[in-house]
Amino acid sequence: MREALVLVLVVGLCPVAPLVAEEQPGNWETVTNVSPDKKFGMRISCLTEPEDPKNIKPDSITAVDLVLLPSKRRVMGLPQNYSGTPAKIFWAQDSKWFALSVSEGPRVTDTEVYHRGGDQFEKLDTEGMTVDVGGNVKNQYIEPVQWLKPAVLVVTQLTVFRGDKADSTVQFNARFEQDGRFRVTNKKKVPDKKE
């Protein structure tokens, strides 16, 4: 009984680590991709200052976050490409919408879209934000180009096919509704530079 009491006392004195630890930013940081209203930006954190701050090596990045400016308070974590590089933010003119091009591997790139209501950004469901071009698809790269206006994003889709079929590049608009759903409009084939 006495041994059990000592064990309880010793265990009770040991510090307990939190169950969920938030990733801590590094010792060096830079803010890029600032919103048009200058209220938000992408903070890239590293343990040490990179040799070339304009060309940060992915393995030195400890966190990529959307932050509120000028306080740099973290709003949310942002995805990184499979290579570890931060994705570029494409802001709408009203700073309530942004899009990212995120590579999930060497053969797939998708576009993520976020919308702000109040102080929070919500990730919208962009599953299926593609144009059917037929054929046996090998690689597909769906990337934002620009916002025509709030809720209307211009997107480019490059599709690489297996076999002899030539690559296909299509540009289209993704028009988002108030409920977050979207519809594809204004599809047009982009001619091959060789044509």
Side-chain angles (χ1 to χ4, degrees):
M1 178 75 172
R2 187 171 166 211
E3 292 170 1
L5 182 59
V6 171
L7 180 60
V8 169
L9 289 173
V10 170
V11 170
L13 295 175
C14 294
V16 177
L19 293 176
V20 179
E22 188 173 319
E23 186 173 350
Q24 296 297 316
N27 297 324
W28 181 88
E29 63 185 35
T30 185
V31 175
T32 64
N33 293 248
V34 175
S35 62
D37 66 3
K38 311 287 188 233
K39 292 183 179 178
F40 299 93
M42 175 192 287
R43 178 179 62 200
I44 301 170
S45 303
C46 302
L47 288 176
T48 60
E49 183 172 354
E51 290 178 24
D52 181 2
K54 292 184 191 308
N55 189 20
I56 302 169
K57 293 181 179 172
D59 59 353
S60 67
I61 297 172
T62 57
V64 179
D65 299 305
L66 184 69
V67 294
L68 189 62
L69 298 175
S71 68
K72 296 185 186 175
R73 180 180 62 82
R74 182 181 188 270
V75 175
M76 62 185 278
L78 293 173
Q80 292 173 248
N81 292 308
Y82 79 101
S83 63
T85 58
K88 180 182 176 196
I89 293 180
F90 292 81
W91 286 100
Q93 301 87 331
D94 67 355
S95 301
K96 292 184 179 179
W97 301 82
F98 72 87
L100 300 165
S101 175
V102 181
S103 298
E104 298 174 0
R107 296 173 34 177
V108 178
T109 300
D110 287 318
T111 293
E112 294 183 1
V113 175
Y114 296 81
H115 180 249
R116 178 171 50 126
D119 290 338
Q120 301 296 318
F121 280 92
E122 175 186 356
K123 181 180 176 184
L124 303 180
D125 181 6
T126 55
E127 183 75 29
M129 192 166 68
T130 62
V131 174
D132 184 9
V133 291
N136 189 359
V137 176
K138 178 181 174 187
N139 303 358
Q140 194 161 53
Y141 309 98
I142 302 166
E143 300 181 333
V145 176
Q146 68 177 15
W147 290 90
L148 286 181
K149 60 184 181 179
V152 181
L153 178 65
V154 179
V155 180
T156 297
Q157 172 182 309
L158 168 62
T159 305
V160 178
F161 298 98
R162 289 181 174 86
D164 295 336
K165 187 173 180 182
D167 298 350
S168 168
T169 303
V170 177
Q171 192 170 80
F172 60 90
N173 296 348
R175 181 180 299 273
F176 291 87
E177 305 298 333
Q178 288 291 346
D179 62 5
R181 291 184 296 165
F182 67 89
R183 58 190 167 95
V184 172
T185 64
N186 298 346
K187 297 179 277 193
K188 65 180 180 182
K189 184 165 174 39
V190 176
D192 187 355
K193 294 178 182 172
K194 298 174 189 172
E195 294 177 5

Short mmCIF file of all heavy atoms in Angstrom, two decimals, residues 22-26 29-32 41-45 61-68 72-80 89:
data_model
loop_
_atom_site.label_atom_id
_atom_site.label_comp_id
_atom_site.label_asym_id
_atom_site.label_seq_id
_atom_site.Cartn_x
_atom_site.Cartn_y
_atom_site.Cartn_z
N GLU A 22 -0.03 22.90 -30.71
CA GLU A 22 -0.08 23.69 -31.93
C GLU A 22 1.33 23.91 -32.43
O GLU A 22 2.24 24.17 -31.64
CB GLU A 22 -0.74 25.04 -31.63
CG GLU A 22 -1.00 25.84 -32.88
CD GLU A 22 -1.81 27.10 -32.58
OE1 GLU A 22 -2.76 27.02 -31.79
OE2 GLU A 22 -1.45 28.13 -33.14
N GLU A 23 1.51 23.78 -33.73
CA GLU A 23 2.85 23.95 -34.31
C GLU A 23 3.34 25.37 -34.04
O GLU A 23 2.63 26.34 -34.28
CB GLU A 23 2.80 23.70 -35.81
CG GLU A 23 4.15 23.71 -36.45
CD GLU A 23 4.10 23.29 -37.91
OE1 GLU A 23 3.05 22.82 -38.36
OE2 GLU A 23 5.11 23.44 -38.58
N GLN A 24 4.53 25.48 -33.52
CA GLN A 24 5.10 26.78 -33.20
C GLN A 24 5.87 27.33 -34.39
O GLN A 24 6.62 26.61 -35.03
CB GLN A 24 6.06 26.66 -32.00
CG GLN A 24 5.38 26.24 -30.72
CD GLN A 24 4.36 27.24 -30.25
OE1 GLN A 24 4.60 28.43 -30.26
NE2 GLN A 24 3.19 26.77 -29.86
N PRO A 25 5.70 28.61 -34.71
CA PRO A 25 6.48 29.18 -35.79
C PRO A 25 7.96 29.21 -35.43
O PRO A 25 8.32 29.11 -34.26
CB PRO A 25 5.93 30.59 -35.96
CG PRO A 25 4.98 30.83 -34.85
CD PRO A 25 4.77 29.53 -34.12
N GLY A 26 8.81 29.34 -36.44
CA GLY A 26 10.25 29.35 -36.22
C GLY A 26 10.75 30.68 -35.70
O GLY A 26 9.98 31.54 -35.27
N GLU A 29 10.77 34.84 -39.87
CA GLU A 29 9.52 34.82 -40.62
C GLU A 29 9.47 35.95 -41.63
O GLU A 29 10.16 36.97 -41.48
CB GLU A 29 8.31 34.89 -39.69
CG GLU A 29 8.23 36.16 -38.90
CD GLU A 29 7.08 36.15 -37.91
OE1 GLU A 29 6.77 35.08 -37.35
OE2 GLU A 29 6.49 37.23 -37.70
N THR A 30 8.67 35.75 -42.65
CA THR A 30 8.40 36.78 -43.64
C THR A 30 6.92 36.72 -43.99
O THR A 30 6.30 35.65 -43.89
CB THR A 30 9.27 36.59 -44.91
OG1 THR A 30 9.06 37.70 -45.79
CG2 THR A 30 8.95 35.29 -45.64
N VAL A 31 6.35 37.85 -44.36
CA VAL A 31 4.94 37.90 -44.74
C VAL A 31 4.87 38.28 -46.22
O VAL A 31 5.46 39.26 -46.65
CB VAL A 31 4.15 38.91 -43.88
CG1 VAL A 31 2.71 39.03 -44.38
CG2 VAL A 31 4.17 38.49 -42.42
N THR A 32 4.17 37.43 -46.99
CA THR A 32 4.00 37.65 -48.43
C THR A 32 2.51 37.53 -48.76
O THR A 32 1.69 37.28 -47.89
CB THR A 32 4.78 36.58 -49.24
OG1 THR A 32 4.21 35.29 -48.96
CG2 THR A 32 6.25 36.57 -48.88
N GLY A 41 -2.21 38.31 -44.65
CA GLY A 41 -1.04 37.93 -45.41
C GLY A 41 -0.62 36.51 -45.08
O GLY A 41 -1.09 35.92 -44.10
N MET A 42 0.27 35.96 -45.90
CA MET A 42 0.81 34.62 -45.67
C MET A 42 2.13 34.76 -44.93
O MET A 42 3.05 35.41 -45.41
CB MET A 42 1.05 33.90 -47.00
CG MET A 42 1.73 32.55 -46.83
SD MET A 42 2.34 31.86 -48.40
CE MET A 42 0.82 31.39 -49.18
N ARG A 43 2.20 34.15 -43.74
CA ARG A 43 3.44 34.17 -42.97
C ARG A 43 4.16 32.84 -43.18
O ARG A 43 3.59 31.77 -42.95
CB ARG A 43 3.17 34.37 -41.48
CG ARG A 43 4.47 34.33 -40.64
CD ARG A 43 4.22 34.56 -39.17
NE ARG A 43 3.36 33.50 -38.63
CZ ARG A 43 2.65 33.61 -37.50
NH1 ARG A 43 2.69 34.72 -36.80
NH2 ARG A 43 1.89 32.61 -37.08
N ILE A 44 5.43 32.92 -43.61
CA ILE A 44 6.28 31.75 -43.76
C ILE A 44 7.29 31.80 -42.63
O ILE A 44 8.01 32.79 -42.49
CB ILE A 44 6.98 31.74 -45.13
CG1 ILE A 44 5.94 31.77 -46.24
CG2 ILE A 44 7.90 30.53 -45.25
CD1 ILE A 44 6.51 32.00 -47.62
N SER A 45 7.32 30.74 -41.81
CA SER A 45 8.22 30.70 -40.66
C SER A 45 9.31 29.66 -40.89
O SER A 45 9.05 28.59 -41.43
CB SER A 45 7.45 30.33 -39.39
OG SER A 45 6.41 31.25 -39.16
N ILE A 61 11.29 25.37 -43.90
CA ILE A 61 10.02 25.97 -43.49
C ILE A 61 9.41 25.16 -42.34
O ILE A 61 9.28 23.95 -42.43
CB ILE A 61 9.05 26.04 -44.68
CG1 ILE A 61 9.62 26.95 -45.78
CG2 ILE A 61 7.68 26.53 -44.24
CD1 ILE A 61 8.84 26.95 -47.07
N THR A 62 9.03 25.87 -41.27
CA THR A 62 8.41 25.21 -40.13
C THR A 62 6.89 25.41 -40.09
O THR A 62 6.19 24.61 -39.50
CB THR A 62 9.01 25.71 -38.80
OG1 THR A 62 8.86 27.13 -38.75
CG2 THR A 62 10.47 25.32 -38.69
N ALA A 63 6.39 26.47 -40.71
CA ALA A 63 4.94 26.72 -40.72
C ALA A 63 4.60 27.72 -41.82
O ALA A 63 5.40 28.61 -42.14
CB ALA A 63 4.48 27.25 -39.37
N VAL A 64 3.40 27.56 -42.38
CA VAL A 64 2.84 28.53 -43.33
C VAL A 64 1.43 28.82 -42.85
O VAL A 64 0.60 27.92 -42.74
CB VAL A 64 2.81 27.96 -44.77
CG1 VAL A 64 2.21 28.98 -45.73
CG2 VAL A 64 4.20 27.56 -45.23
N ASP A 65 1.19 30.09 -42.52
CA ASP A 65 -0.09 30.48 -41.91
C ASP A 65 -0.66 31.72 -42.58
O ASP A 65 0.08 32.56 -43.09
CB ASP A 65 0.10 30.82 -40.43
CG ASP A 65 0.61 29.65 -39.61
OD1 ASP A 65 -0.03 28.60 -39.65
OD2 ASP A 65 1.65 29.80 -38.95
N LEU A 66 -1.98 31.83 -42.55
CA LEU A 66 -2.65 33.07 -42.89
C LEU A 66 -2.70 33.87 -41.60
O LEU A 66 -3.11 33.34 -40.55
CB LEU A 66 -4.06 32.81 -43.41
CG LEU A 66 -4.81 34.05 -43.90
CD1 LEU A 66 -4.18 34.59 -45.18
CD2 LEU A 66 -6.28 33.75 -44.12
N VAL A 67 -2.25 35.13 -41.63
CA VAL A 67 -2.20 35.95 -40.42
C VAL A 67 -2.96 37.25 -40.62
O VAL A 67 -3.09 37.74 -41.75
CB VAL A 67 -0.74 36.24 -39.98
CG1 VAL A 67 -0.03 34.98 -39.55
CG2 VAL A 67 0.05 36.97 -41.06
N LEU A 68 -3.43 37.80 -39.52
CA LEU A 68 -4.09 39.10 -39.49
C LEU A 68 -3.01 40.16 -39.36
O LEU A 68 -2.08 40.01 -38.57
CB LEU A 68 -5.04 39.14 -38.29
CG LEU A 68 -5.98 40.33 -38.18
CD1 LEU A 68 -6.93 40.38 -39.37
CD2 LEU A 68 -6.79 40.22 -36.89
N LYS A 72 -0.04 40.08 -36.91
CA LYS A 72 0.48 38.77 -37.31
C LYS A 72 -0.12 37.64 -36.47
O LYS A 72 0.46 36.58 -36.34
CB LYS A 72 2.01 38.71 -37.24
CG LYS A 72 2.70 39.65 -38.20
CD LYS A 72 4.19 39.44 -38.16
CE LYS A 72 4.92 40.46 -38.99
NZ LYS A 72 6.36 40.33 -38.86
N ARG A 73 -1.33 37.88 -35.94
CA ARG A 73 -2.04 36.82 -35.23
C ARG A 73 -2.50 35.77 -36.23
O ARG A 73 -3.04 36.08 -37.28
CB ARG A 73 -3.26 37.40 -34.50
CG ARG A 73 -4.05 36.34 -33.72
CD ARG A 73 -5.25 36.92 -32.99
NE ARG A 73 -6.23 37.52 -33.86
CZ ARG A 73 -7.18 36.84 -34.52
NH1 ARG A 73 -7.26 35.53 -34.41
NH2 ARG A 73 -8.06 37.47 -35.27
N ARG A 74 -2.25 34.51 -35.90
CA ARG A 74 -2.58 33.39 -36.79
C ARG A 74 -4.09 33.25 -36.95
O ARG A 74 -4.82 33.18 -35.97
CB ARG A 74 -2.00 32.09 -36.22
CG ARG A 74 -2.22 30.86 -37.07
CD ARG A 74 -1.61 29.64 -36.38
NE ARG A 74 -1.63 28.46 -37.21
CZ ARG A 74 -2.62 27.58 -37.24
NH1 ARG A 74 -3.68 27.74 -36.49
NH2 ARG A 74 -2.53 26.53 -38.04
N VAL A 75 -4.53 33.22 -38.20
CA VAL A 75 -5.94 33.01 -38.51
C VAL A 75 -6.18 31.53 -38.82
O VAL A 75 -7.14 30.94 -38.34
CB VAL A 75 -6.37 33.88 -39.71
CG1 VAL A 75 -7.80 33.59 -40.13
CG2 VAL A 75 -6.20 35.36 -39.39
N MET A 76 -5.27 30.94 -39.60
CA MET A 76 -5.39 29.54 -39.98
C MET A 76 -4.09 29.06 -40.62
O MET A 76 -3.31 29.85 -41.12
CB MET A 76 -6.55 29.32 -40.95
CG MET A 76 -6.37 30.06 -42.28
SD MET A 76 -7.77 29.96 -43.40
CE MET A 76 -7.47 28.38 -44.15
N GLY A 77 -3.87 27.75 -40.59
CA GLY A 77 -2.75 27.16 -41.29
C GLY A 77 -3.08 27.06 -42.77
O GLY A 77 -4.25 26.90 -43.14
N LEU A 78 -2.07 27.17 -43.61
CA LEU A 78 -2.26 27.06 -45.05
C LEU A 78 -1.54 25.81 -45.57
O LEU A 78 -0.49 25.44 -45.05
CB LEU A 78 -1.72 28.30 -45.77
CG LEU A 78 -2.47 29.59 -45.49
CD1 LEU A 78 -1.74 30.79 -46.11
CD2 LEU A 78 -3.90 29.52 -46.03
N PRO A 79 -2.08 25.20 -46.61
CA PRO A 79 -1.45 23.99 -47.15
C PRO A 79 -0.16 24.32 -47.89
O PRO A 79 0.03 25.43 -48.37
CB PRO A 79 -2.51 23.43 -48.11
CG PRO A 79 -3.30 24.62 -48.52
CD PRO A 79 -3.30 25.55 -47.33
N GLN A 80 0.71 23.33 -47.95
CA GLN A 80 1.93 23.44 -48.73
C GLN A 80 1.87 22.39 -49.84
O GLN A 80 1.17 21.39 -49.73
CB GLN A 80 3.16 23.19 -47.84
CG GLN A 80 3.37 24.29 -46.83
CD GLN A 80 4.47 23.96 -45.86
OE1 GLN A 80 4.22 23.76 -44.69
NE2 GLN A 80 5.71 23.88 -46.33
N ILE A 89 -1.09 32.63 -53.01
CA ILE A 89 -2.47 33.05 -52.79
C ILE A 89 -2.90 34.00 -53.91
O ILE A 89 -2.19 34.93 -54.25
CB ILE A 89 -2.63 33.77 -51.43
CG1 ILE A 89 -2.38 32.81 -50.28
CG2 ILE A 89 -4.01 34.40 -51.31
CD1 ILE A 89 -2.50 33.45 -48.91
#
